[in-house]
Amino acid sequence: MTGKITGISGPTVITDIKGLKLYERVFVGNAMLTGEVVRIEKDRSVVQVYEDTQGLAIDEPVQSTGMPLTVRLGPGLLSGIFDGLQRPLQRLKEESGPFIRGVKELSALDISGKWIFHAVRKKGEQVSTGEIIGYVKEGPFEHYISCPADVKGKIAWIAESEIHLDRPIGVMEDGSEIPGFYDWPVRVPLPYKRKYSPTEPLVTGQRSIDFLFTIAKGGTAIMPGGFGTGKTILDQSIAKFADIDIVVYAGCGERGNEMAELIEEFEMLADPWTKRTLMERTILCVNTSNMPVAAREASIYTAVTMAEYYRDMGLHVLFLADSISRWAEALREISSSLEELPGEEGYPTYLASRLSGFLERAGVVETNSGKTGSLSMILSVSPPGGDFTEPVTQSCLRTSGAFLMLDTSLAHRRHFPAINWFQSYSLYGAELLEHHAEKFMPEWEHALSTCKEILQKEEELREVAEIVGVEGLQDADRLLMHTAEMIRMKFLCQNAYTDDAFSPPARTLSIIKEILDFYKTADEKLKQGVQLDEILNEKKNK
Ligand SMILES: Nc1ncnc2c1ncn2[C@@H]1O[C@H](COP(=O)(O)OP(=O)(O)OP(=O)(O)O)[C@@H](O)[C@H]1O
Ligand SMILES: [Mg+2]
């Protein structure tokens, strides 16, 4: 169906096409800009255009597609760099130059590419939806091809060895085909059999997270922090060092040059766990601040659907977004252009439900093919003015399992990562700790409680010290203050630009143990009557 543009206001376009469905994808204007139907009225529909609408005019054509906004899922997404609509940026640049404008169709996958297929099912065998029929090797991973929805029965033909994605990989006896790739609506989570509660820690290589506020594989964490508190650096450090199979990084409304640096770095650096280049395990979905705002709302859905796709291979996938606040602002912009009733701070009233619906897509699941995969999420939040009572932080808080509060005063003191150890929390503690104890060392739990105690006491003593001065404190208290400082400076601080940027669990434990051992020995010496200054001098000379 086609119709005409009857009104334009920024990225919002009114059209007279009849029979459109909500969230249907349409092509707008002579430039064939991509848009999504966001409101339907009796004889007009409102379309949100995801590209720059400059130059668009009344009466230009609008074309419906009958399909919602989809992502293309198949082998070859890894190491891809896509925009918010899953268009591969490199090819987009080759086709339209650095200033992207209205490219109608550009497949995310190179569908003419060849792959070597290893069949695991044979001709004549019975298969049904979700079952794996074979795999291709994508980097270090086995990329499974499964039977799509509504296809079941006996296999009449199955490919051997070389396949082309644009041709079927298998044909059933009733003539239905098993394709190499498929398109999936971005706003619909990929189906799975069941969800489990997360039990395994996600090692991030950041001591303050791994030790104090463990995140789970399949869990969710939010990182709210004011301007310059280190959100981007922390997000990127986790993307580099996390013990995970695949990272999907959504650069949402942040600086373009930061993304460019990230891409350059990822092409050169190796994954510390597998020693392969980081880019091989990464998918980047970019909608930076210099790209059209409207596509930002869709971009996190595009990214998370790709993440779910790899989770369904039985892999551990980490989804990172920097920053979800920019996504919420895009949502607010769309909502206000639709003249919807605004809620708190102008955000639409459905902000909280949208956010929790999004965070719900994380989890450990049994996939339709019977494998276990996980999708973890870490979202950074940029609360305006560093005010954590604002709606985006509050809405995320309700559904996320860990809250890593980035503290402006710590960042000013150059304490990075600036995670506040009193205000942050993780709900994944207890059951995950058991796992730590098994896999790493039983001392973990003991060290954690001692460390927390010392930091807590330091806070209490700090107030006293402000009145009487540190010198006025008793030796035992001065020792505690000294130890707490060691914990802060040598353990919790981690410079992202040095070799210390990555701290595997064994190293994390050895550093904290060394500090706590010093404390224990020094405390015993104090009790035997040795002076604190003497103990500290001895340590300095060591
Ligand atoms: N782990 C770290 N090690 C050393 N320096 C750091 C670390 N984290 C942050 N910094 C310093 O803080 C600066 C700001 O960090 P970053 O850009 O990540 O902040 P941000 O919270 O993303 O800021 P914005 O709100 O502007 O996006 C960095 O340029 C760097 O100098
Ligand atoms: Mg940033």
Side-chain angles (χ1 to χ4, degrees):
M1 270 180 293
T2 50
K4 285 204 163 76
I5 298 179
T6 57
I8 305 169
S9 162
T12 312
V13 166
I14 317 284
T15 170
D16 60 1
I17 319 184
K18 300 265 178 324
L20 283 175
K21 292 192 211 88
L22 199 60
Y23 290 125
E24 181 172 340
R25 186 178 179 187
V26 290
F27 292 121
V28 179
N30 295 325
M32 304 287 264
L33 308 175
T34 294
E36 216 181 357
V37 179
V38 286
R39 176 189 283 177
I40 301 174
E41 289 166 14
K42 196 160 169 249
D43 18 59
R44 57 173 218 160
S45 301
V46 182
V47 171
Q48 180 69 29
V49 179
Y50 285 138
E51 290 161 88
D52 190 358
T53 48
Q54 205 173 330
L56 209 62
I58 297 283
D59 283 343
E60 281 193 31
V62 180
Q63 225 180 76
S64 68
T65 63
M67 290 275 292
L69 193 67
T70 55
V71 274
R72 185 149 284 186
L73 302 171
L77 292 174
L78 289 184
S79 73
I81 306 167
F82 304 101
D83 74 351
L85 302 174
Q86 211 206 11
R87 294 179 300 197
L89 285 179
Q90 193 56 38
R91 263 189 289 145
L92 207 56
K93 186 178 160 201
E94 284 159 17
E95 292 206 4
S96 67
F99 301 100
I100 301 158
R101 227 182 118 67
V103 181
K104 186 187 165 192
E105 289 283 25
L106 199 53
S107 172
L109 298 171
D110 178 10
I111 49 174
S112 59
K114 286 184 231 156
W115 295 82
I116 302 297
F117 179 71
H118 305 265
V120 295
R121 305 303 294 263
K122 287 200 255 346
K123 183 182 165 185
E125 282 185 354
Q126 190 84 25
V127 288
S128 63
T129 304
E131 274 183 59
I132 293 168
I133 60 151
Y135 64 89
V136 297
K137 281 292 256 182
E138 184 176 8
F141 306 106
E142 284 175 1
H143 185 123
Y144 298 107
I145 312 270
S146 8
C147 209
D150 304 327
V151 173
K152 61 179 176 195
K154 273 191 185 163
I155 302 175
W157 172 84
I158 186 159
E160 282 164 30
S161 182
E162 199 175 282
I163 56 161
H164 296 254
L165 291 186
D166 54 358
R167 291 175 221 158
I169 293 177
V171 180
M172 311 299 281
E173 281 187 348
D174 65 1
S176 51
E177 293 175 349
I178 300 177
F181 68 90
Y182 59 94
D183 294 330
W184 186 266
V186 291
R187 296 181 194 279
V188 181
L190 280 170
Y192 51 84
K193 259 193 203 148
R194 62 178 68 87
K195 208 173 229 182
Y196 301 114
S197 31
T199 51
E200 211 184 307
L202 166 67
V203 177
T204 62
Q206 305 301 304
R207 286 189 287 269
S208 46
I209 299 179
D210 293 345
F211 190 70
L212 290 177
F213 309 109
T214 321
I215 302 176
K217 276 193 181 138
T220 49
I222 61 160
M223 269 175 5
F227 172 69
T229 47
K231 298 179 290 296
T232 305
I233 303 268
L234 185 55
D235 245 344
Q236 296 189 354
S237 301
I238 297 173
K240 280 184 216 162
F241 305 123
D243 166 28
I244 203 91
D245 296 318
I246 286 169
V247 173
V248 179
Y249 190 104
C252 194
E254 294 290 309
R255 300 172 193 89
N257 61 333
E258 285 177 350
M259 279 318 278
E261 280 163 25
L262 177 94
I263 294 166
E264 218 168 89
E265 233 185 321
F266 273 36
E267 273 163 1
M268 289 171 33
L269 290 180
D271 172 1
W273 303 89
T274 60
K275 311 287 178 231
R276 305 178 72 111
T277 69
L278 279 172
M279 209 57 208
E280 260 182 87
R281 68 159 198 189
T282 310
I283 299 174
L284 297 172
C285 192
V286 192
N287 184 279
T288 49
S289 49
N290 51 352
M291 292 165 94
V293 176
R296 196 168 299 159
E297 198 277 325
S299 70
I300 61 161
Y301 292 100
T302 303
V304 82
T305 314
M306 290 191 275
E308 285 177 338
Y309 178 64
Y310 281 93
R311 171 206 69 190
D312 285 348
M313 314 268 155
L315 297 172
H316 295 295
V317 185
L318 170 62
F319 173 88
L320 291 152
D322 184 24
S323 112
I324 206 74
S325 299
R326 306 279 168 258
W327 168 83
E329 283 161 16
L331 191 71
R332 174 164 68 183
E333 225 166 275
I334 296 173
S335 162
S336 80
S337 71
L338 293 176
E339 293 168 12
E340 289 174 340
L341 200 65
E344 227 181 311
E345 291 188 21
Y347 288 106
T349 45
Y350 47 81
L351 171 74
S353 63
R354 281 279 168 93
L355 267 172
S356 57
F358 184 76
L359 283 155
E360 276 299 317
R361 291 177 79 161
V364 183
V365 303
E366 183 186 338
T367 67
N368 278 340
S369 62
K371 295 190 175 296
T372 307
S374 74
L375 170 56
S376 321
M377 282 191 191
I378 302 179
L379 312 177
S380 77
V381 185
S382 337
D387 169 18
F388 297 110
T389 59
E390 59 91 40
V392 182
T393 314
Q394 290 300 317
S395 307
C396 287
L397 256 183
R398 277 173 226 144
T399 1
S400 63
F403 173 71
L404 308 169
M405 182 200 138
L406 301 183
D407 191 326
T408 311
S409 69
L410 285 177
H412 282 165
R413 301 205 308 256
R414 309 286 306 158
H415 175 116
F416 288 117
I419 299 173
N420 181 305
W421 49 91
F422 292 123
Q423 313 265 1
S424 307
Y425 64 80
S426 165
L427 302 177
Y428 300 113
E431 67 244 65
L432 294 182
L433 271 177
E434 274 173 38
H435 191 94
H436 269 298
E438 263 169 45
K439 199 167 171 183
F440 308 116
M441 305 91 201
E443 302 105 303
W444 191 280
E445 197 172 350
H446 176 67
L448 179 59
S449 57
T450 320
C451 175
K452 278 187 179 163
E453 228 170 85
I454 293 175
L455 291 171
Q456 185 64 48
K457 278 200 192 138
E458 184 203 26
E459 196 60 15
E460 292 160 20
L461 284 173
R462 199 194 291 272
E463 284 169 26
V464 184
E466 266 167 26
I467 302 163
V468 298
V470 179
E471 275 65 37
L473 293 175
Q474 291 185 346
D475 271 3
D477 291 340
R478 276 177 61 206
L479 172 64
L480 187 126
M481 300 268 298
H482 181 83
T483 313
E485 189 183 322
M486 279 165 76
I487 293 177
R488 286 188 281 110
M489 308 302 285
K490 294 193 173 156
F491 182 70
L492 296 179
C493 276
Q494 223 173 317
N495 191 329
Y497 303 109
T498 60
D499 285 346
D500 193 33
F502 171 54
S503 181
R507 180 176 154 80
T508 298
L509 190 64
S510 102
I511 299 178
I512 190 71
K513 263 188 68 189
E514 199 181 307
I515 298 172
L516 297 180
D517 284 350
F518 157 77
Y519 180 59
K520 196 167 161 220
T521 324
D523 194 45
E524 277 160 13
K525 280 191 191 158
L526 275 187
K527 284 184 185 132
Q528 287 160 11
V530 185
Q531 293 291 310
L532 179 65
D533 291 334
E534 209 176 300
I535 298 170
L536 296 181
N537 271 338
E538 192 187 321
K539 175 172 155 262
K540 217 188 270 173
N541 297 333
K542 253 190 195 171

